[in-house]
Amino acid sequence: MATTSAAIKKIFAALPHIKKVGTKHLWFDFDEEADVLYISLERPQRATDTDILEDGIFLRLRDKKVVGITVTNISKKFKN
């Protein structure tokens, strides 16, 4: 229960940042084995192009519109 409570607190702490994104829906998929977080700004779909922002962060584009973000090595980037 303590783990769940801590996770809920972390989610609530992130809500103000998530709200600033300005999209109505967000989808999060975490591949624990690959340590990759996929964030979709629209229903998960195939991107037609990818821009590399910085080490391990990729913008997924469909016709120049950002439809998702992929973050690799997420555990190392967001240590407690």
Side-chain angles (χ1 to χ4, degrees):
M1 188 67 170
T3 303
T4 302
S5 180
I8 290 171
K9 285 181 181 178
K10 289 179 181 178
I11 291 169
F12 277 116
L15 290 178
H17 304 288
I18 293 170
K19 185 178 177 189
K20 289 179 185 176
V21 173
T23 185
K24 291 176 97 176
H25 303 282
L26 289 172
W27 288 264
F28 295 90
D29 292 300
F30 177 59
D31 182 336
E32 186 172 2
E33 186 175 309
D35 197 25
V36 176
L37 177 67
Y38 303 96
I39 304 166
S40 296
L41 306 177
E42 296 184 0
R43 287 194 182 278
Q45 58 184 286
R46 286 188 165 272
T48 57
D49 201 3
T50 301
D51 279 348
I52 300 171
L53 287 186
E54 56 187 79
D55 184 36
I57 300 177
F58 306 90
L59 288 183
R60 293 180 294 118
L61 307 166
R62 177 174 281 278
D63 300 326
K64 306 285 183 191
K65 181 178 181 183
V66 177
V67 295
I69 302 167
T70 300
V71 183
T72 62
N73 297 313
I74 189 80
S75 300
K76 294 176 184 169
K77 288 182 173 64
F78 297 97
K79 292 180 183 176
N80 289 337

